[in-house]
Amino acid sequence: MRIVVEKRGRVAVVSVEGSVDGTTAGELTAALHGQVSGGARDLVIDIAGVDYMSSAGLRALLETVKEARKQGGDLRPAAARPEVLRVLDLSGFTSILQVFPDVDSAVASFPA
Amino acid sequence: MENVSAFRAFVEDACRRAGVDESVCFDLKLAVDEACSNLVVHGYKGRQPGPIGVSFAREGDEIVIIITDHAPPFHPDDAPLPRLDAPASERRPGGLGWHMIKQLVDRLEYDSDTENGNRLRMVKKVVPLQNG
Protein backbone atom coordinates (compact mmCIF):
# COMPACT_ATOMS: atom_id res chain seq x y z
CA MET A 1 0.00 0.00 0.00
CA ARG A 2 1.21 3.53 -0.81
CA ILE A 3 -0.16 6.72 0.76
CA VAL A 4 0.41 10.25 -0.55
CA VAL A 5 -1.04 13.38 1.05
CA GLU A 6 -1.60 16.60 -0.87
CA LYS A 7 -3.22 19.81 0.38
CA ARG A 8 -5.79 21.53 -1.81
CA GLY A 9 -6.65 24.67 0.10
CA ARG A 10 -8.06 23.54 3.43
CA VAL A 11 -8.75 20.04 2.17
CA ALA A 12 -6.22 17.25 2.62
CA VAL A 13 -6.39 14.73 -0.22
CA VAL A 14 -5.06 11.36 0.92
CA SER A 15 -4.37 9.15 -2.11
CA VAL A 16 -4.09 5.45 -1.44
CA GLU A 17 -2.79 2.77 -3.76
CA GLY A 18 -2.83 -0.99 -3.28
CA SER A 19 -4.74 -3.29 -0.95
CA VAL A 20 -6.32 -2.08 2.26
CA ASP A 21 -6.60 -5.16 4.46
CA GLY A 22 -5.70 -6.48 7.90
CA THR A 23 -2.00 -5.96 7.31
CA THR A 24 -2.18 -2.41 5.93
CA ALA A 25 -5.28 -0.85 7.57
CA GLY A 26 -3.30 0.19 10.66
CA GLU A 27 -0.94 2.25 8.54
CA LEU A 28 -3.89 3.91 6.79
CA THR A 29 -5.61 4.67 10.11
CA ALA A 30 -2.39 6.24 11.41
CA ALA A 31 -2.00 8.38 8.26
CA LEU A 32 -5.63 9.58 8.35
CA HIS A 33 -5.61 10.25 12.09
CA GLY A 34 -2.31 12.09 11.68
CA GLN A 35 -4.06 14.49 9.32
CA VAL A 36 -7.00 15.07 11.67
CA SER A 37 -4.81 15.56 14.75
CA GLY A 38 -2.59 17.89 12.70
CA GLY A 39 -5.59 20.15 12.10
CA ALA A 40 -6.76 18.92 8.67
CA ARG A 41 -10.33 18.03 9.52
CA ASP A 42 -11.65 18.16 5.93
CA LEU A 43 -10.36 15.01 4.25
CA VAL A 44 -10.82 13.42 0.85
CA ILE A 45 -9.56 9.88 0.49
CA ASP A 46 -8.76 9.16 -3.14
CA ILE A 47 -9.20 5.40 -3.51
CA ALA A 48 -8.90 5.17 -7.29
CA GLY A 49 -5.73 3.13 -6.78
CA VAL A 50 -7.25 0.78 -4.19
CA ASP A 51 -7.79 -2.60 -5.80
CA TYR A 52 -8.98 -4.35 -2.65
CA MET A 53 -10.61 -3.37 0.64
CA SER A 54 -11.73 -5.63 3.47
CA SER A 55 -13.64 -4.76 6.65
CA ALA A 56 -10.28 -3.80 8.20
CA GLY A 57 -10.16 -0.90 5.72
CA LEU A 58 -13.75 0.00 6.50
CA ARG A 59 -12.82 0.24 10.18
CA ALA A 60 -10.04 2.69 9.27
CA LEU A 61 -12.57 4.85 7.41
CA LEU A 62 -15.16 4.62 10.20
CA GLU A 63 -12.72 5.56 12.95
CA THR A 64 -11.45 8.50 10.92
CA VAL A 65 -14.84 9.85 9.91
CA LYS A 66 -15.97 9.78 13.55
CA GLU A 67 -12.86 11.71 14.59
CA ALA A 68 -13.11 14.21 11.71
CA ARG A 69 -16.80 14.90 12.38
CA LYS A 70 -16.08 15.48 16.08
CA GLN A 71 -13.79 18.30 14.93
CA GLY A 72 -16.46 19.69 12.60
CA GLY A 73 -14.92 18.17 9.47
CA ASP A 74 -15.56 15.07 7.38
CA LEU A 75 -13.92 12.24 5.46
CA ARG A 76 -15.20 11.79 1.90
CA PRO A 77 -14.10 8.88 -0.27
CA ALA A 78 -13.64 9.54 -3.98
CA ALA A 79 -13.09 7.60 -7.20
CA ALA A 80 -13.75 4.11 -5.84
CA ARG A 81 -13.47 1.27 -8.32
CA PRO A 82 -16.73 -0.68 -8.80
CA GLU A 83 -15.57 -3.60 -6.60
CA VAL A 84 -14.55 -1.30 -3.76
CA LEU A 85 -17.74 0.73 -4.12
CA ARG A 86 -19.64 -2.54 -3.73
CA VAL A 87 -17.77 -3.23 -0.45
CA LEU A 88 -18.80 0.22 0.80
CA ASP A 89 -22.36 -0.50 -0.28
CA LEU A 90 -22.63 -4.01 1.23
CA SER A 91 -21.41 -2.68 4.55
CA GLY A 92 -23.86 0.22 4.62
CA PHE A 93 -21.01 2.74 4.36
CA THR A 94 -22.53 4.52 1.36
CA SER A 95 -25.28 5.71 3.71
CA ILE A 96 -22.94 7.08 6.39
CA LEU A 97 -20.23 8.52 4.11
CA GLN A 98 -20.61 10.98 1.26
CA VAL A 99 -19.00 9.15 -1.63
CA PHE A 100 -17.91 11.04 -4.76
CA PRO A 101 -17.16 9.81 -8.29
CA ASP A 102 -13.93 11.84 -8.52
CA VAL A 103 -11.51 13.79 -6.36
CA ASP A 104 -12.37 17.22 -7.78
CA SER A 105 -16.05 16.96 -6.87
CA ALA A 106 -15.17 15.64 -3.41
CA VAL A 107 -12.80 18.57 -2.79
CA ALA A 108 -15.39 21.05 -4.13
CA SER A 109 -18.04 19.64 -1.77
CA PHE A 110 -16.29 21.20 1.24
CA PRO A 111 -16.93 24.88 1.98
CA ALA A 112 -14.10 27.03 0.57
CA MET B 1 -2.40 -11.56 9.08
CA GLU B 2 0.32 -12.13 6.48
CA ASN B 3 -1.08 -15.65 6.16
CA VAL B 4 -4.48 -14.20 5.33
CA SER B 5 -2.86 -12.40 2.37
CA ALA B 6 -1.40 -15.74 1.30
CA PHE B 7 -4.88 -17.33 1.39
CA ARG B 8 -6.17 -14.49 -0.75
CA ALA B 9 -3.40 -15.04 -3.28
CA PHE B 10 -4.26 -18.76 -3.28
CA VAL B 11 -7.93 -18.00 -4.02
CA GLU B 12 -6.99 -15.56 -6.78
CA ASP B 13 -4.78 -18.14 -8.43
CA ALA B 14 -7.41 -20.89 -8.06
CA CYS B 15 -10.08 -18.60 -9.54
CA ARG B 16 -7.90 -17.95 -12.57
CA ARG B 17 -7.35 -21.66 -13.08
CA ALA B 18 -11.08 -22.35 -12.67
CA GLY B 19 -12.00 -19.69 -15.24
CA VAL B 20 -13.92 -17.57 -12.73
CA ASP B 21 -14.53 -13.94 -13.67
CA GLU B 22 -12.87 -11.12 -11.77
CA SER B 23 -15.87 -9.84 -9.84
CA VAL B 24 -16.65 -13.33 -8.49
CA CYS B 25 -12.97 -13.76 -7.68
CA PHE B 26 -13.00 -10.46 -5.74
CA ASP B 27 -16.02 -11.65 -3.70
CA LEU B 28 -14.41 -15.00 -2.91
CA LYS B 29 -11.10 -13.40 -1.89
CA LEU B 30 -12.96 -11.03 0.40
CA ALA B 31 -15.10 -13.81 1.93
CA VAL B 32 -11.98 -15.91 2.64
CA ASP B 33 -10.13 -12.86 4.02
CA GLU B 34 -13.00 -12.00 6.38
CA ALA B 35 -13.42 -15.59 7.62
CA CYS B 36 -9.69 -16.12 8.17
CA SER B 37 -9.18 -12.66 9.72
CA ASN B 38 -11.97 -13.47 12.20
CA LEU B 39 -10.12 -16.66 13.12
CA VAL B 40 -6.84 -14.80 13.64
CA VAL B 41 -8.37 -11.87 15.55
CA HIS B 42 -11.13 -13.65 17.51
CA GLY B 43 -10.98 -17.44 17.08
CA TYR B 44 -7.41 -17.97 18.21
CA LYS B 45 -7.33 -14.88 20.44
CA GLY B 46 -5.48 -15.49 23.70
CA ARG B 47 -4.29 -18.95 22.70
CA GLN B 48 -1.57 -20.54 20.62
CA PRO B 49 -2.29 -19.72 16.96
CA GLY B 50 -3.68 -22.89 15.45
CA PRO B 51 -3.88 -24.15 11.91
CA ILE B 52 -6.21 -22.70 9.27
CA GLY B 53 -6.81 -24.65 6.09
CA VAL B 54 -8.39 -23.31 2.90
CA SER B 55 -9.45 -25.51 0.00
CA PHE B 56 -10.98 -24.46 -3.32
CA ALA B 57 -12.91 -26.59 -5.78
CA ARG B 58 -15.07 -26.00 -8.80
CA GLU B 59 -18.08 -28.33 -8.74
CA GLY B 60 -20.11 -27.75 -11.90
CA ASP B 61 -21.51 -24.25 -11.73
CA GLU B 62 -20.48 -23.74 -8.12
CA ILE B 63 -17.25 -22.77 -6.41
CA VAL B 64 -16.85 -24.51 -3.06
CA ILE B 65 -14.36 -23.14 -0.55
CA ILE B 66 -13.80 -24.97 2.72
CA ILE B 67 -12.05 -23.33 5.65
CA THR B 68 -10.97 -25.55 8.53
CA ASP B 69 -9.71 -24.51 11.95
CA HIS B 70 -9.30 -25.71 15.52
CA ALA B 71 -10.40 -22.57 17.34
CA PRO B 72 -13.42 -22.68 19.66
CA PRO B 73 -16.48 -23.24 17.42
CA PHE B 74 -18.34 -20.17 16.24
CA HIS B 75 -21.47 -20.69 14.15
CA PRO B 76 -22.07 -17.94 11.55
CA ASP B 77 -25.71 -17.76 12.67
CA ASP B 78 -24.47 -16.55 16.07
CA ALA B 79 -22.73 -13.50 14.61
CA PRO B 80 -24.45 -10.30 15.73
CA LEU B 81 -26.17 -8.32 12.99
CA PRO B 82 -24.44 -4.97 12.44
CA ARG B 83 -26.74 -1.94 12.47
CA LEU B 84 -26.21 -0.86 8.88
CA ASP B 85 -28.71 1.99 9.14
CA ALA B 86 -27.11 3.57 12.22
CA PRO B 87 -25.38 6.95 11.81
CA ALA B 88 -21.57 6.94 11.79
CA SER B 89 -21.34 8.13 15.39
CA GLU B 90 -23.24 5.02 16.54
CA ARG B 91 -21.57 2.52 14.24
CA ARG B 92 -19.14 0.21 16.01
CA PRO B 93 -15.91 -0.83 14.34
CA GLY B 94 -15.96 -4.52 13.58
CA GLY B 95 -18.85 -6.94 13.37
CA LEU B 96 -18.97 -6.48 9.62
CA GLY B 97 -17.00 -9.55 8.58
CA TRP B 98 -19.75 -12.15 8.87
CA HIS B 99 -22.32 -9.76 7.44
CA MET B 100 -20.17 -9.30 4.35
CA ILE B 101 -19.44 -13.02 3.99
CA LYS B 102 -23.20 -13.74 4.01
CA GLN B 103 -23.69 -11.16 1.22
CA LEU B 104 -20.74 -12.38 -0.85
CA VAL B 105 -21.54 -16.10 -1.12
CA ASP B 106 -24.75 -17.95 -1.93
CA ARG B 107 -24.62 -20.60 0.77
CA LEU B 108 -22.80 -21.13 4.06
CA GLU B 109 -22.60 -24.41 5.97
CA TYR B 110 -20.84 -24.88 9.27
CA ASP B 111 -20.06 -27.97 11.28
CA SER B 112 -17.81 -28.74 14.14
CA ASP B 113 -16.54 -31.72 16.08
CA THR B 114 -13.87 -32.23 18.70
CA GLU B 115 -11.74 -34.49 16.53
CA ASN B 116 -11.70 -32.63 13.20
CA GLY B 117 -12.29 -29.11 14.44
CA ASN B 118 -14.50 -26.63 12.60
CA ARG B 119 -15.40 -26.59 8.94
CA LEU B 120 -16.92 -23.63 7.13
CA ARG B 121 -18.18 -24.41 3.63
CA MET B 122 -18.84 -21.41 1.40
CA VAL B 123 -20.58 -21.94 -1.92
CA LYS B 124 -20.92 -19.42 -4.72
CA LYS B 125 -22.67 -19.96 -8.03
CA VAL B 126 -20.71 -19.08 -11.16
CA VAL B 127 -21.42 -18.91 -14.86
CA PRO B 128 -21.06 -22.40 -16.38
CA LEU B 129 -17.85 -22.98 -18.33
CA GLN B 130 -18.34 -22.61 -22.07
CA ASN B 131 -17.50 -25.57 -24.24
CA GLY B 132 -14.85 -25.08 -26.91
Side-chain angles (χ1 to χ4, degrees):
Chain A
M1 188 183 64
R2 185 162 171 263
I3 301 172
V4 177
V5 182
E6 175 203 358
K7 289 300 288 278
R8 291 210 203 166
R10 270 179 39 199
V11 180
V13 178
V14 180
S15 300
V16 186
E17 274 179 33
S19 296
V20 186
D21 57 16
T23 48
T24 58
E27 193 189 333
L28 178 61
T29 305
L32 291 169
H33 278 220
Q35 290 300 313
V36 178
S37 59
R41 58 190 191 184
D42 294 340
L43 298 169
V44 169
I45 179 165
D46 173 5
I47 49 177
V50 172
D51 55 10
Y52 179 83
M53 185 180 288
S54 71
S55 64
L58 297 174
R59 277 194 290 280
L61 298 185
L62 181 62
E63 287 169 20
T64 308
V65 77
K66 281 182 174 180
E67 200 51 43
R69 285 180 185 172
K70 263 192 232 166
Q71 313 288 330
D74 202 5
L75 170 71
R76 299 181 179 168
R81 295 182 189 187
E83 300 88 359
V84 174
L85 191 58
R86 187 154 165 270
V87 174
L88 295 173
D89 210 21
L90 285 177
S91 55
F93 273 51
T94 44
S95 63
I96 55 174
L97 298 174
Q98 287 192 58
V99 179
F100 290 84
D102 55 70
V103 172
D104 287 345
S105 56
V107 170
S109 71
F110 284 104
Chain B
M1 276 300 175
E2 286 74 13
N3 291 337
V4 175
S5 307
F7 288 136
R8 234 166 54 215
F10 162 72
V11 171
E12 182 160 4
D13 188 48
C15 280
R16 201 172 296 126
R17 287 165 198 263
V20 174
D21 77 46
E22 280 189 17
S23 72
V24 171
C25 181
F26 185 96
D27 289 1
L28 292 172
K29 281 192 295 183
L30 186 52
V32 167
D33 181 331
E34 297 296 344
C36 294
S37 296
N38 274 339
L39 286 170
V40 174
V41 175
H42 303 295
Y44 287 119
K45 186 181 182 183
R47 59 183 66 221
Q48 277 294 99
I52 299 173
V54 178
S55 73
F56 180 107
R58 178 162 193 149
E59 297 177 3
D61 61 352
E62 291 183 337
I63 298 295
V64 179
I65 292 178
I66 296 173
I67 300 177
T68 53
D69 69 86
H70 284 78
F74 183 82
H75 199 289
D77 290 349
D78 295 334
L81 291 174
R83 287 184 53 209
L84 299 182
D85 56 344
S89 57
E90 293 170 24
R91 289 287 293 262
R92 294 277 171 273
L96 280 169
W98 280 113
H99 168 76
M100 301 223 301
I101 293 167
K102 288 169 186 172
Q103 310 286 311
L104 293 166
V105 301
D106 294 305
R107 215 162 63 240
L108 275 183
E109 293 157 19
Y110 187 83
D111 56 71
S112 165
D113 66 65
T114 46
E115 193 178 332
N116 298 310
N118 313 308
R119 186 170 166 276
L120 175 70
R121 190 168 182 271
M122 307 195 287
V123 180
K124 189 167 178 77
K125 290 201 176 300
V126 291
V127 180
L129 285 173
Q130 300 206 336
N131 292 323

